[in-house]
Amino acid sequence: MKTNKTTLRAVWTTVGLLGLATACGGEEMAGSSRVTGRVTNGQGTQPQSVVRAAQTGGAGTLAATATVRVSAVAADGSLSTRAEGTVDAQGRYTLDLADAGGQFVIQALDASGKVLASSLLEAAAQGETSTAPPMDSESSLEASVYLRARADTAASETVNMVDVRERINARMAEAASQGSASGAALEARVKALADGVRAAQRTEVEVYGRAGVQTSQSALFQAELSAIAALNASLDAGADAQAAYETFYADLRAAAEKAGASAQKQADSERAASASFRATLDVRLSADAAPLLDAALRQSAVLEARASGAALDATLAAAGAAEDVKQQGATASVKLVADARAATSASASAQAFTTFQANLSGGASLQSSLLGNYLDLTLANQLALQGSLAVTAQAAATLDTALDAAVKAAVTASSVDVALLASQTAAAYQTYTTAVRAQATVLSSAFGSKANTSVELMLLAQGAFQLE
């Protein structure tokens, strides 16, 4: 088979920002495979709030598509064409790969060879049929961001393709083309998103390591392959997207737990990773990219909300909390995720977490809060809890100061020191969690064995998503 090698510079010159990808971690698989998928006119499958216009892909893509090309991507950013073929009237394609090793980018091309849309394929199963996600505006932005992140990362390191797809949604694909429409402006936005993803992934692993979970993005990617394959198949089949993503995120949580990361540790790592992601974009994106920044912050809030909600439910279950307490916690978790998903602005996302904090640790009434209910709070023991909450609030303020310092040291308008940002962000959160967990000793005299669970609830309530 003829191999077409394309340099990274030539790829960007030829196809601009229309979804390309490059290799991420994981063992290559030898042997033949078949890849199937479809080209669509859609905006995306991971929605949030209202989505209107398309960026790349979108309306007219299917009618204009003449061929589909599957390329393997290497650590140096070069593409090697593995297969090419046509699509049927519904946009469906099926292509045979002589070599199934590596990760892939799939592109829809018009009659002149111009790339119209693209998508990522994490792996092709040896001797089997692998399903790619539908090609649309969202998948095209995911591919562009992945390529940029891979190009800026050392060949020995991994950019987790699954994580990229978690952090990009349809609303971001729409917002990426708002404001300035020049090629340079779009490229700068993709670069900023890629830097944010790199920072988030590095921070996630750093936090896990400090918590005693020894892993890497390569290992996480391998653990997540079955989850993303199931998601691809569901989306390709036209299943309900929200239900498909709920299953996907549940599968990711299960994979992380199998790797030794409890729901609480997953929440801790996502909280810090999201902080690095948001801070990078806040500095790197120009003023005319405000719609993209807002959309990215909202998606970040959704990811953090899912992790926090799952951790709350798991914490109460592990503590053997009373049924009414677990139900109160479940209600708070569901509301947090629902409010974050429904948010129409980043400030609304922040408000979702403010409400969550009040539900957990007290708004108008501390006794009626989740903590108050769990601890059977009375006037006699309330003072002890109030004191610990005050210490926790101070620890959160110290955390904010440390995070600000980390951003100033590592992020500029044109670059980000990913290693420095991840290290300092993880250190800031470690200091915060240590200070809060120290309150278990203080609370034990008043609440006995419930003190340890109480500080975990306080950690979930404080130090979460907020806007500077």
Side-chain angles (χ1 to χ4, degrees):
M1 179 180 66
K2 182 180 179 180
T3 298
N4 177 27
K5 293 284 284 183
T6 308
T7 65
L8 176 63
R9 184 175 181 84
V11 165
W12 277 93
T13 302
T14 302
V15 303
L17 302 172
L18 296 174
L20 299 177
T22 187
C24 63
E27 297 295 325
E28 291 194 354
M29 297 173 290
S32 63
S33 178
R34 175 167 288 179
V35 174
T36 185
R38 58 191 174 94
V39 179
T40 78
N41 292 322
Q43 177 72 25
T45 54
Q46 188 170 200
Q48 181 185 22
S49 183
V50 178
V51 173
R52 292 177 292 275
Q55 179 208 358
T56 57
T61 300
L62 177 54
T65 297
T67 59
V68 170
R69 181 169 62 208
V70 180
S71 299
V73 257
D76 64 357
S78 62
L79 294 173
S80 297
T81 300
R82 294 285 179 86
E84 223 173 298
T86 59
V87 298
D88 65 19
Q90 287 72 46
R92 186 159 294 282
Y93 59 88
T94 300
L95 302 174
D96 290 326
L97 302 180
D99 182 358
Q103 289 77 46
F104 305 90
V105 55
I106 306 175
Q107 298 166 310
L109 299 90
D110 67 11
S112 70
K114 176 184 177 182
V115 178
L116 302 173
S118 53
S119 64
L120 300 170
L121 179 61
E122 293 74 18
Q126 179 181 351
E128 299 179 7
T129 297
S130 300
T131 303
M135 274 192 248
D136 51 34
S137 296
E138 178 185 339
S139 70
S140 297
L141 181 60
E142 290 166 352
S144 292
V145 170
Y146 178 78
L147 172 62
R148 186 68 263 171
R150 179 63 262 177
D152 292 339
T153 303
S156 60
E157 299 180 17
T158 295
V159 177
N160 186 339
M161 192 182 283
V162 179
D163 183 83
V164 172
R165 289 184 58 188
E166 286 185 75
R167 298 190 186 279
I168 305 295
N169 70 359
R171 181 65 179 87
M172 293 167 65
E174 175 201 7
S177 61
Q178 294 180 0
S180 175
S182 71
L186 288 173
E187 184 173 351
R189 292 172 189 180
V190 169
K191 167 69 172 169
L193 287 170
D195 284 348
V197 166
R198 292 170 57 225
Q201 292 188 9
R202 186 71 173 259
T203 302
E204 178 184 34
V205 171
E206 182 82 20
V207 172
Y208 273 147
R210 290 170 183 259
V213 180
Q214 300 306 315
T215 189
S216 64
Q217 284 300 337
S218 179
L220 291 172
F221 170 74
Q222 288 295 325
E224 294 163 352
L225 278 176
S226 62
I228 197 67
L231 176 64
N232 290 346
S234 293
L235 297 177
D236 177 74
D240 179 75
Q242 182 171 337
Y245 274 100
E246 291 298 332
T247 300
F248 170 61
Y249 286 115
D251 289 345
L252 291 184
R253 289 193 294 271
E257 286 211 42
K258 190 174 181 180
S262 66
Q264 180 65 61
K265 290 178 180 178
Q266 291 179 54
D268 290 345
S269 68
E270 184 55 49
R271 186 181 301 123
S274 289
S276 288
F277 180 76
R278 295 193 300 270
T280 300
L281 295 187
D282 189 48
V283 175
R284 295 296 320 284
L285 287 173
S286 58
D288 66 354
L292 176 57
L293 176 60
D294 184 84
L297 296 183
R298 288 155 57 193
Q299 175 64 358
S300 176
V302 172
L303 295 181
E304 191 173 333
R306 289 182 185 278
S308 296
L312 174 57
D313 294 343
T315 297
L316 293 176
E323 286 302 318
D324 66 312
V325 176
K326 288 192 289 186
Q327 183 56 54
Q328 186 176 1
T331 299
S333 298
V334 170
K335 179 173 175 55
L336 173 62
V337 175
D339 287 351
R341 281 178 51 83
T344 57
S345 66
S347 59
S349 297
Q351 181 57 49
F353 279 87
T354 298
T355 300
F356 180 67
Q357 178 181 340
N359 287 336
L360 264 61
S361 58
S365 171
L366 183 56
Q367 289 187 350
S368 63
S369 69
L370 179 64
L371 261 173
N373 192 12
Y374 173 68
L375 293 173
D376 296 317
L377 204 63
T378 66
L379 292 176
N381 59 23
Q382 181 170 313
L383 189 61
L385 180 58
Q386 288 175 326
S388 289
L389 287 172
V391 171
T392 300
Q394 181 55 54
T398 301
L399 169 65
D400 291 341
T401 300
L403 292 177
D404 286 343
V407 174
K408 290 177 181 177
V411 188
T412 70
S414 60
S415 66
V416 56
D417 185 330
V418 170
L420 180 61
L421 179 61
S423 177
Q424 293 197 6
T425 299
Y429 272 98
Q430 184 177 40
T431 299
Y432 164 71
T433 56
T434 298
V436 175
R437 286 180 175 139
Q439 290 302 300
T441 302
V442 177
L443 292 173
S444 61
S445 59
F447 302 107
S449 61
K450 290 185 174 182
N452 288 326
T453 298
S454 297
V455 298
E456 296 305 320
L457 296 178
M458 288 190 285
L459 280 171
L460 287 170
Q462 296 275 1
F465 182 96
Q466 58 181 298
L467 297 179
E468 295 300 328

